[in-house]
Amino acid sequence: RTLDFMRDTLQVAQPDENGPRSVVDIFAERQFEIESLEPPELKKSVSLIVGGIFLGQSLVEPAERLVASACEYLEKHPEDEDYWMAKTLWGMVLMLRGDFEAATAAFRKVDANMPQGGMPGFRRELLLSNVGTMLALRGETAAAEAMLTNAWSSAKGKPGLYRGNVAIGLIGFLTAQGRLAEAEKLLDEVAADFSGPVSRDTVLFLMSRGRVHAASGRFGESKADFESALKVVEKLYGRNSFMTITVLDGLSFAERGLNDGQSALKHLEEAVSIGEQTFPNGNVILCKIYNNLGNVAVSQMEFDKGARYLKRAIEE
């Protein structure tokens, strides 16, 4: 029944004047229909799949509603095979909301209670990687390193894209800690894992490499990485997406390193414009962009603009 619903939804969707529409747009039109599906098992299954699709695009509100609905059903059916995946997706919802403390607690609870085989394939390693990233953001460095290292130790012997995704979490941690030689070595080790068709994972790899290059002072290489990432994002999602915001922020950092403040200012202003549409009620990421934008504006002697953006960062 789940497969029938997914297939039928995609088959009957009509192109608009710009051609075929994205899966995200198609399901966004039917999100409220999903909430009234019967029987409850079908509603749960479709909610998790479509909620995961929305999470991949950082569409927090519809993702939260669908995942919460699935979790409500699964609390009464803990034997269901989707139970632990739903709990993990809920942690991702909290993470995108910027509630890192609650997200960390949710991930830790899953890791501590999930039985062996509770999630197939690389999902457990990806879960551990997410927990490690949350711990790092909260400043729990030792615990974060242990979690990220354990995830990578478990995943590195298994070739494939998910292995690379697990490595990305550890690369980010090593970069933040200034352990750049280790980060670059790990990037080289998993580069082949991202050599297939371009995808969201390609963007994550390019951004990780761009951050390592920037931290090493190789700003020209960093700029090239983020420009490549931006081209992939535009191809996959268009210019007005959540991932565009993070890529533009990284690109602006490389441009500041190259003393090209005007380009950095332009790209950050574009990131803010997209962010205001994506997060009308504010977001921790938008706060960071405003702060960066204010500092760049001040460095370009545009003091009124800088003060305005820094004030927005405080308000966020």
Side-chain angles (χ1 to χ4, degrees), residues 122 125 151-160 163-164 166 189-190 193:
F122 278 95
E125 286 88 353
W152 173 240
S153 296
S154 177
K156 67 180 179 181
K158 308 172 185 177
R163 185 186 87 122
V166 173
E189 187 173 344
V190 300
D193 296 349

Side-chain angles (χ1 to χ4, degrees), residues 25-282:
D25 289 339
I26 292 168
F27 281 114
E29 291 178 356
R30 301 192 68 177
Q31 58 181 290
F32 295 105
E33 179 183 339
I34 293 170
E35 295 178 29
S36 60
L37 284 175
E38 292 289 346
E41 295 89 344
L42 176 62
K43 175 184 174 182
K44 173 267 301 182
S45 183
V46 173
S47 293
L48 287 179
I49 294 172
V50 179
I53 291 171
F54 288 152
L55 279 172
Q57 295 298 300
S58 299
L59 299 172
V60 182
E61 185 176 330
E64 180 175 355
R65 192 167 56 248
L66 291 175
V67 175
S69 172
C71 287
E72 182 180 2
Y73 168 84
L74 288 164
E75 282 299 326
K76 302 171 186 175
H77 302 276
E79 75 288 349
D80 190 294
E81 63 181 8
D82 287 330
Y83 182 85
W84 295 106
M85 178 52 63
K87 293 292 186 181
T88 302
L89 288 178
W90 182 248
M92 293 176 67
V93 167
L94 296 171
M95 182 170 65
L96 285 178
R97 274 176 30 190
D99 192 345
F100 297 131
E101 184 171 355
T104 303
F107 285 135
R108 275 178 157 166
K109 187 173 181 179
V110 173
D111 182 48
N113 294 285
M114 182 172 62
Q116 195 66 31
M119 288 193 289
F122 278 95
R123 291 175 179 176
R124 188 178 188 92
E125 286 88 353
L126 286 169
L127 168 63
L128 292 174
S129 182
N130 278 326
V131 176
T133 298
M134 290 297 95
L135 292 172
L137 287 169
R138 296 184 60 204
E140 299 182 39
T141 305
E145 182 170 7
M147 192 72 74
L148 290 164
T149 302
N150 288 342
W152 173 240
S153 296
S154 177
K156 67 180 179 181
K158 308 172 185 177
L161 183 59
Y162 287 110
R163 185 186 87 122
N165 282 339
V166 173
I168 290 296
L170 180 55
I171 290 166
F173 174 81
L174 293 171
T175 303
Q177 294 297 308
R179 295 157 61 178
L180 303 179
E182 295 174 69
E184 195 146 8
K185 180 181 178 182
L186 189 50
L187 275 169
D188 291 340
E189 187 173 344
V190 300
D193 296 349
F194 298 91
S195 60
V198 294
S199 66
R200 181 176 183 270
D201 304 292
T202 309
V203 179
L204 296 176
F205 175 76
L206 289 169
M207 288 199 297
S208 293
R209 193 170 68 185
R211 293 184 185 111
V212 172
H213 286 156
S216 302
R218 292 146 59 188
F219 294 108
E221 293 174 68
S222 177
K223 180 179 179 181
D225 287 326
F226 282 106
E227 286 177 335
S228 297
L230 187 58
K231 289 178 182 177
V232 176
V233 170
E234 288 178 329
K235 179 179 179 180
L236 294 175
Y237 311 122
R239 191 80 172 188
N240 294 317
S241 71
F242 168 76
M243 292 198 79
T244 305
I245 299 171
T246 57
V247 174
L248 288 171
D249 185 38
L251 178 57
S252 74
F253 186 81
E255 289 165 338
R256 279 175 273 170
L258 293 168
N259 295 316
D260 186 0
Q262 284 301 311
S263 293
L265 192 63
K266 181 187 75 172
H267 286 132
L268 284 170
E269 288 181 328
E270 182 181 356
V272 158
S273 177
I274 298 169
E276 287 174 341
Q277 299 172 48
T278 307
F279 304 111
N281 297 319

